[in-house]
Amino acid sequence: MKSDMISLMSHELRTPLTSINGFSELLAVDENIPEESREFLQIISNESQRMSRMIDTFLSVTQLERADKKEVTKIALRLDEVAREAMVTMHPTARKKRIRLVEQAGGTIPPIAADKSLMTQALMRFWTTPSVTALSEPP
Amino acid sequence: MTVSTVLEAEDVRVIVEDRGYGVPAESIDRIWEKFYRVARDGQEKDEESTGLGLAFVKEVVEQHGGSVAVESEVGRGSKFSLALPRL
């Protein structure tokens, strides 16, 4: 599939999803809704949010795949510093998922050439992607 | 789950390590694929997962000339890492 078609489709899919999610959340706070229906609404809301996340990530992957390597702005970055900053940004999630940053004692980490925003996003997804963290609960 | 950054001969490596369920052997080669989600011994696949997070990580890392790796043993845990060439 052409990538501009994918972008277009992603945007088209997102609009109705926003309504589905918004209205299901609105209904869920209505006191006249019976308990069982409220559960169903929660499912509708969770699943539409998951679908939005899926579209967002799919779009990012597609954009990356077609991006010319020259389009990526690489600067000298220290990965341990990017990791520390990313951890601060996602602090509540990091705490919930019990992610702990291990600092290297001594020995400086040399820089790499990377796009800061992409690398930050990649690290955050690396830590929170449920296929990693769901598997990291104690057996 | 711990996150650490280490220096290797040519690369800087970020390691994410846990002592969790581990990834079943049949899934380990497919874990970076788009839309692939791991099922835990006959259980439902993870409900929250989009199946795209690790595919995104791999794409970014490879675009920067790096590589991703995973080692895992069921019942003992997993070690995911990404390596990027040092300057």
Side-chain angles (χ1 to χ4, degrees):
Chain A
M1 208 189 317
K2 274 215 172 107
S3 43
D4 45 344
M5 185 66 186
I6 292 173
S7 310
L8 193 68
M9 210 180 74
S10 302
H11 292 300
E12 292 298 322
L13 287 173
R14 219 191 307 251
T15 318
L17 269 179
T18 310
S19 304
I20 294 170
N21 187 34
F23 285 112
S24 60
E25 280 185 349
L26 261 183
L27 274 178
V29 294
D30 186 335
E31 284 169 6
N32 300 318
I33 300 273
E35 195 52 41
E36 195 194 29
S37 308
R38 213 188 297 274
E39 262 175 53
F40 296 163
L41 284 166
Q42 196 57 54
I43 296 171
I44 296 172
S45 165
N46 288 349
E47 290 293 277
S48 59
Q49 281 175 35
R50 179 158 76 99
M51 197 156 167
S52 301
R53 285 202 306 276
M54 209 184 270
I55 292 169
D56 289 343
T57 316
F58 184 63
L59 203 57
S60 325
V61 175
T62 315
Q63 279 164 351
L64 265 180
E65 279 173 343
R66 71 167 178 181
D68 197 321
K69 284 197 175 160
K70 279 173 251 158
E71 282 177 39
V72 179
T73 325
K74 290 181 184 167
I75 54 163
L77 283 180
R78 279 185 53 185
L79 270 181
D80 53 337
E81 283 171 2
V82 180
R84 201 174 306 127
E85 280 174 32
M87 195 68 83
V88 173
T89 311
M90 56 180 280
H91 182 68
T93 321
R95 209 157 100 172
K96 207 170 90 192
K97 305 218 176 215
R98 291 187 296 170
I99 306 172
R100 198 164 53 87
L101 197 64
V102 180
E103 300 280 351
Q104 285 312 111
T108 328
I109 303 291
I112 57 152
D115 181 295
K116 191 171 183 185
S117 142
L118 278 180
M119 208 41 78
T120 306
Q121 279 182 56
L123 283 184
M124 287 181 177
R125 289 213 166 97
F126 201 30
W127 302 333
T128 55
T129 202
S131 56
V132 180
T133 51
L135 298 164
S136 66
E137 296 155 21
Chain B
M1 192 169 98
T2 58
V3 176
S4 51
T5 312
V6 295
L7 172 63
E8 293 178 348
E10 306 285 328
D11 300 315
V12 176
R13 186 177 292 274
V14 179
I15 303 165
V16 182
E17 223 166 340
D18 67 62
R19 285 190 217 130
Y21 290 99
V23 183
E26 66 270 21
S27 300
I28 202 118
D29 291 333
R30 303 195 55 198
I31 205 158
W32 308 97
E33 278 176 27
K34 265 184 260 175
F35 297 114
Y36 185 77
R37 295 194 288 149
V38 176
R40 205 158 43 211
D41 333 304
Q43 285 184 39
E44 274 298 293
K45 295 198 177 191
D46 194 324
E47 288 288 306
E48 262 184 79
S49 171
T50 61
L52 287 165
L54 288 178
F56 178 84
V57 174
K58 184 172 188 269
E59 193 61 43
V60 171
V61 169
E62 287 181 351
Q63 202 159 67
H64 285 82
S67 61
V68 291
V70 59
E71 293 165 35
S72 187
E73 199 179 322
V74 172
R76 304 208 69 160
S78 314
K79 184 175 166 181
F80 287 79
S81 71
L82 56 87
L84 290 150
R86 59 175 288 187
L87 281 182

